[in-house]
Amino acid sequence: MFVVATAGHVDHGKSTLVRALTGMEPDRWAEERRRGMTIDLGFAWTTLPSGGTVAFVDVPGHERFVPNMLAGVGPVPAALIVVAADEGWMPQSAEHLAALDALGVAYGLLVVTRSDLADPGPATAHAQAQIAATSLGTVEAVAVSGLTGAGLPELRTALDRLAARLPAPTVHDPVRLWVDRSFTVRGSGTVVTGTLGAGRLRVGDELELAGADEPVRVRGLHSLGEAQTEAAAVARVAVNLRGTPRDRLGRGDALLTPGRFHHTDLVDVRLTGDPAADLPATLTLHLGSAAVPVRVRPLGPDTVRLRLARPLPLLVGDRALLRDPGRHHVAGGVRVLDVAPPPLARRGAAVARAQVLAELDGRPDLVGELRRRRLIQAGTLIRMGVPVHVAPVAGDWLADPAHWRRLGDQVTEEVARYARDHPLEPGMPVDALRQRLALPDRVLVEALVRPPLRMHAGRVGAAGADALPEPVARAVRRVRAEYGDRPFRAPEADHLVDLGLGPREIGAAVRAGALLRLADNVVLLPDALDDAVRVLAGLPQPFTLSAARQALDTTRRVAVPLLELLDRRGATRRLPDDARIVVT
């Protein structure tokens, strides 16, 4: 199947043409049939000579119903531009063509209707000249009469040729189904219709309703009037939603593959059409079937920032158009450059931002996004429409390689600075380091810590005793020199102070592994535990506290906490009679 939308001035025979091609009535409302004028979107389909199927989205031609026309044209890949031979090019012909050009529609046919009433040659030549200057370029033209049937076989063949030129649909892309109609079927519940431009839908799929928190589930699928278990792009589909009230969604809403689209009310875009400086402050943005008021802030000659009245699921590279509904004027097309732009809070920020946008072309660019954003989560980029093919540096975080190297250097500098300012602390707190580096996640700090730095107990510092400040290291050396041959004798509290070891200095030395703390103001050299076990193993087993104290040549002040520490570490075991044995 391929899907094509009609376009053209009111009363030029669009609906008559669709009716003649399909045998179906595209005008759904009694008011449309009574007035003989299409007001809303109509839908019909037929089989082509090749056996393929074409589905038509028939749009209204009157200027009052241009928003309805844009809702039908937005999601489709091709257009059938209809011009009447007896009237030729008209104002809505021009506005519809401007809309197609703004949306970047590149495939289409020119159909000159009512060729039984006038020579189609002049209308054909004029219309082809107008169309050639747009995104559609040179298009094939077919003259027909919806009343007599003349030219319809040739048109069917031309539609086959158009279908063959269309690019292959991207059936593996995420689904973004713009809703163009919503209604209730008794016994089935809410049904929505739309043009599935990419991806694949299956019965039972869980989707996301744009702008809502809860998921929706596909209860049933119809395409071309028949029930389906699945539907692949490009196709007209009707989706029956399980348990979703009718008033929860309507035209302009979208059904999405969960977690694959960025909902945003702020975008930076490039314009085609009116210069940015000439745009009014408020316009309407048309994208898919949505029509959303926007506030316009010019940035560069052809770039603007749009503030949307409500968030939309947008991707980098999306095509849309801006329209001034008061003037019935298409202000121009837009191509989305950034769906998560930075704030413009500082003086000169808008000028700087315009310079950045001047280098963007709307094509997803992973390298460029990383360079501009420095750090970003992979899931965020995917929801922006940027494919990710590099490994995260930590968790789900991606980093610009040059920025990541600079961060590594900065970690070393910040930890060294902190050590100079806080010489007795065991390192820089991780959260303080994260804030200094302006990092959004603690896991990034952890990933940046590499030897000779280490992270321990929530702090980052240099490993080993050599990390001690020189006054503390000098005091430890004095302890070792004085007590090296008496390893189980502990300096008294006042002597520790004389050596330069107050409570903070002792804490720093213990954390660095340069001293062993047994109790308050009772410290030994760090290898005392292994030496004690070796001495105690040479005693008759079991042994008493007194025997241990004498063998270790120490005081009760040291022996009691030393044996209790050995008990806790499993090197010795205390017996019921308070004697101990060495556990081998």
Side-chain angles (χ1 to χ4, degrees), residues 212-239:
D213 292 333
E214 74 276 4
V216 296
R217 190 170 294 279
V218 177
R219 179 180 182 181
L221 280 173
H222 278 72
S223 184
L224 306 183
E226 295 184 359
Q228 309 285 342
T229 58
E230 71 173 55
V234 172
R236 286 292 305 174
V237 294
V239 185

Side-chain angles (χ1 to χ4, degrees), residues 421-487:
D421 296 341
H422 306 84
L424 298 181
E425 292 193 20
M428 186 173 186
V430 170
D431 283 336
L433 181 56
R434 182 184 65 80
Q435 293 172 12
R436 290 288 297 179
L437 299 176
L439 294 176
D441 196 325
R442 181 187 175 107
V443 299
L444 293 167
V445 179
E446 297 171 358
L448 286 165
V449 175
R450 296 189 177 94
L453 298 180
R454 68 166 185 168
M455 191 170 68
H456 178 69
R459 291 176 177 263
V460 179
D466 57 353
L468 286 172
E470 179 52 31
V472 179
R474 185 167 56 248
V476 170
R477 289 196 295 270
R478 291 179 63 187
V479 171
R480 186 171 291 279
E482 188 171 337
Y483 292 90
D485 57 349
R486 297 178 295 161

Side-chain angles (χ1 to χ4, degrees), residues 263-278:
H263 296 78
T264 181
D265 62 356
L266 191 69
V267 290
D268 288 346
V269 303
R270 172 160 288 114
L271 297 168
T272 59
D274 294 352
D278 295 343

Side-chain angles (χ1 to χ4, degrees), residues 38-347:
T38 300
I39 297 172
D40 203 354
L41 301 177
F43 310 99
W45 57 89
T46 189
T47 301
L48 296 174
S50 66
T53 302
V54 57
F56 295 96
V57 179
D58 188 35
V59 306
H62 197 283
E63 65 178 5
R64 285 187 296 162
F65 306 119
V66 168
N68 290 349
M69 174 266 179
L70 294 173
V73 169
V76 303
L80 208 64
I81 303 168
V82 179
V83 177
D86 57 334
E87 290 192 359
W89 198 251
M90 297 291 281
Q92 288 312 113
S93 307
E95 184 171 9
H96 283 202
L97 180 61
L100 295 172
D101 185 37
L103 292 170
V105 178
Y107 301 90
L109 285 174
L110 169 63
V111 182
V112 180
T113 57
R114 303 214 290 253
S115 60
D116 55 319
L117 300 180
D119 177 8
T124 300
H126 188 182
Q128 283 187 312
Q130 298 292 322
I131 296 169
T134 70
S135 59
L136 286 146
T138 302
V139 298
E140 183 178 357
V142 182
V144 303
S145 169
L147 292 179
T148 68
L152 291 181
E154 291 80 3
L155 177 55
R156 291 177 182 275
T157 303
L159 284 166
D160 258 334
R161 288 193 291 270
L162 174 61
R165 292 195 298 116
L166 293 177
T170 50
V171 297
H172 300 297
D173 280 3
V175 168
R176 179 173 51 174
L177 180 69
W178 293 103
V179 175
D180 53 38
R181 199 158 54 112
S182 175
F183 52 92
T184 301
V185 175
R186 180 172 296 180
S188 296
T190 300
V191 176
V192 299
T193 67
T195 300
L196 181 63
R200 187 185 301 271
L201 281 173
R202 298 178 179 87
V203 173
D205 278 355
E206 185 175 276
L207 301 174
E208 180 180 297
L209 176 59
D213 292 333
E214 74 276 4
V216 296
R217 190 170 294 279
V218 177
R219 179 180 182 181
L221 280 173
H222 278 72
S223 184
L224 306 183
E226 295 184 359
Q228 309 285 342
T229 58
E230 71 173 55
V234 172
R236 286 292 305 174
V237 294
V239 185
N240 180 203
L241 299 175
R242 186 187 305 278
T244 304
R246 160 70 179 82
D247 59 3
R248 291 300 308 277
L249 73 174
R251 179 172 294 173
D253 288 321
L255 298 178
L256 313 170
T257 297
R260 294 299 301 273
F261 291 88
H262 183 73
H263 296 78
T264 181
D265 62 356
L266 191 69
V267 290
D268 288 346
V269 303
R270 172 160 288 114
L271 297 168
T272 59
D274 294 352
D278 295 343
L279 294 180
T282 58
L283 291 168
T284 299
L285 178 74
H286 293 267
L287 176 71
S289 62
V292 179
V294 296
R295 295 193 62 82
V296 181
R297 178 175 181 175
L299 296 175
D302 64 346
T303 53
V304 298
R305 174 160 292 187
L306 302 179
R307 172 73 70 176
L308 283 62
R310 66 178 176 92
L312 289 178
L314 301 181
L315 300 173
V316 172
D318 274 343
R319 300 293 295 263
L321 68 84
L322 290 171
R323 185 172 183 267
D324 186 344
R327 295 168 53 204
H328 301 291
H329 170 64
V330 174
V334 302
R335 184 152 193 170
V336 175
L337 302 178
D338 194 340
V339 296
L344 302 176
R346 299 179 180 178
R347 184 184 299 274

